[in-house]
């Protein structure tokens, strides 16, 4: 049986230490490259023999936007369910890659507007 793509893990800070978490299963080399270029944490990929069942996204469909952020749900800690930002300022195509056979709960949202507000004088003149 040949490879069906790549299983991908992400190394992130959780519960006071770095740990590896499964990110996606049986994705293409192109998708792995998108993860490597956009993730805020280290990415590791290995050939997969079969695709694991996907974990449902929190996001049911991507809202139309020009930029996206991806949040990952970390394991529960002390009764809390923490979320952490794993990718930011993604294009629509890059964001769609994170929705391909995810292996942990992700939330893909329009990215926050981080543009610099106009100076007070300009805003008041309008």
């Amino acid at each position: 049986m040949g490879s069906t793509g790549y299983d991908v893990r992400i190394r992130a800070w959780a519960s006071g230490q770095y740990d590896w978490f499964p990110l996606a299963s049986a994705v293409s080399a192109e998708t792995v490259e998108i993860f490597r270029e956009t993730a805020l944490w280290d990415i590791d990929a290995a050939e997969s023999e079969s695709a694991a069942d996907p974990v449902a996204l929190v996001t049911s469909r991507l809202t139309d936007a020009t930029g996206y952020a991806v949040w990952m749900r970390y394991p529960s800690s002390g009764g809390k369910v923490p979320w952490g930002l794993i990718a930011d300022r993604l294009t629509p195509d890059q964001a769609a890659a994170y929705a391909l056979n995810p292996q942990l709960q992700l939330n893909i949202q329009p990215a926050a507007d981080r543009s610099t507000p106009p100076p007070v004088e300009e805003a008041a003149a309008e």
Side-chain angles (χ1 to χ4, degrees):
M1 182 175 199
S3 173
T4 59
Y6 295 89
D7 288 338
V8 182
R9 299 183 310 159
I10 187 167
R11 184 174 184 242
W13 184 262
S15 301
Q17 64 185 11
Y18 284 104
D19 204 354
W20 288 99
F21 299 93
L23 180 60
S25 178
V27 295
S28 69
E30 293 80 15
T31 300
V32 173
E33 194 57 34
I34 289 171
F35 293 155
R36 287 190 171 135
E37 292 172 357
T38 61
L40 300 175
W41 301 100
D42 294 335
I43 295 292
D44 180 49
E47 286 190 22
S48 63
E49 292 298 321
S50 62
D53 290 336
V55 173
L57 293 170
V58 171
T59 313
S60 58
R61 68 176 185 81
L62 294 182
T63 304
D64 288 338
T66 57
Y68 294 89
V70 179
W71 295 83
M72 177 177 94
R73 180 180 176 187
Y74 291 106
S76 297
S77 176
K80 297 180 181 180
V81 182
W83 288 81
L85 184 67
I86 62 167
D88 198 10
R89 300 180 186 210
L90 304 179
T91 66
D93 289 341
Q94 291 169 328
Y98 282 85
L100 297 173
N101 207 12
Q103 295 301 295
L104 44 76
Q105 203 167 28
L106 300 177
N107 191 354
I108 304 170
Q109 303 175 341
D113 180 7
R114 292 185 185 84
S115 60
T116 305
V120 175
E121 297 79 24
E122 289 180 27
E126 291 179 9

